[in-house]
Amino acid sequence: MIYESRDVAATTAARPRLLPWSNLDGNPCYLVTDDTGTGRLSRLADEIEAVQLGMADDLLGHAVDLLGDTRATAPQLRHLAACLAEALHDVHRIARSRGARLHVSDGDEEDADAVPEGGSGT
C-alpha cells in the first residue's frame, strides 16, 4: 500500500519512505511525500518508530534479567526469543527506512547501489 501526498511538492520526493507497519498481507507500506517529512502520516510514523524503539529497549533490559535467571523455563525463553525477533524486525525496518532517507552525495551513489535492499553488504 502506498500513501501519496496530493501536494504538488510530492513530485519532487526522491524516494518513498518505508513506514513502520505492514499491510494486512504483511507487505511493506510506503509513503510518498515532500522532503519536509512534516505531514500527518510522517509524524504518525515518527511516533510509532519511537514507541517501537522504546519497547525494544525495554525488552532488551527484560532479556538481560531473564537470561541471568537460572530458574528461567524453556517456555519463558522461547517467548523471549519470539519477542526479541519481533523487536529486531521492527528495529531493522526503522534502520532501513532511516538509512534510505539519508542524503547521498553524488560521489557516494555508486557505493549505495552496491548493497542490495535488505542485504547486509557482507
Side-chain angles (χ1 to χ4, degrees):
M1 175 181 317
I2 296 181
Y3 297 96
E4 292 187 42
S5 171
R6 298 291 181 214
D7 296 337
V8 174
T11 60
T12 64
R15 296 184 183 132
R17 174 182 179 171
L18 175 61
L19 295 171
W21 56 79
S22 299
N23 67 14
L24 294 176
D25 296 326
N27 295 319
C29 294
Y30 294 89
L31 174 65
V32 178
T33 186
D34 61 16
D35 290 330
T36 65
T38 58
R40 191 168 96 187
L41 280 176
S42 291
R43 289 191 314 271
L44 177 63
D46 291 341
E47 291 170 12
I48 290 174
E49 285 179 354
V51 168
Q52 289 174 329
L53 291 172
M55 290 172 59
D57 188 48
D58 292 344
L59 181 60
L60 185 56
H62 177 66
V64 169
D65 293 340
L66 188 61
L67 291 172
D69 184 356
T70 58
R71 297 172 297 165
T73 65
Q76 288 174 318
L77 294 173
R78 276 195 298 276
H79 179 71
L80 174 64
C83 292
L84 286 170
E86 183 177 346
L88 182 59
H89 174 77
D90 290 343
V91 170
H92 182 253
R93 182 194 312 253
I94 292 168
R96 284 187 6 239
S97 176
R98 291 181 180 182
R101 289 181 278 143
L102 291 175
H103 175 71
V104 178
S105 66
D106 292 336
D108 293 338
E109 282 187 37
E110 292 176 16
D111 294 337
D113 292 337
V115 179
E117 182 178 327
S120 63
T122 57

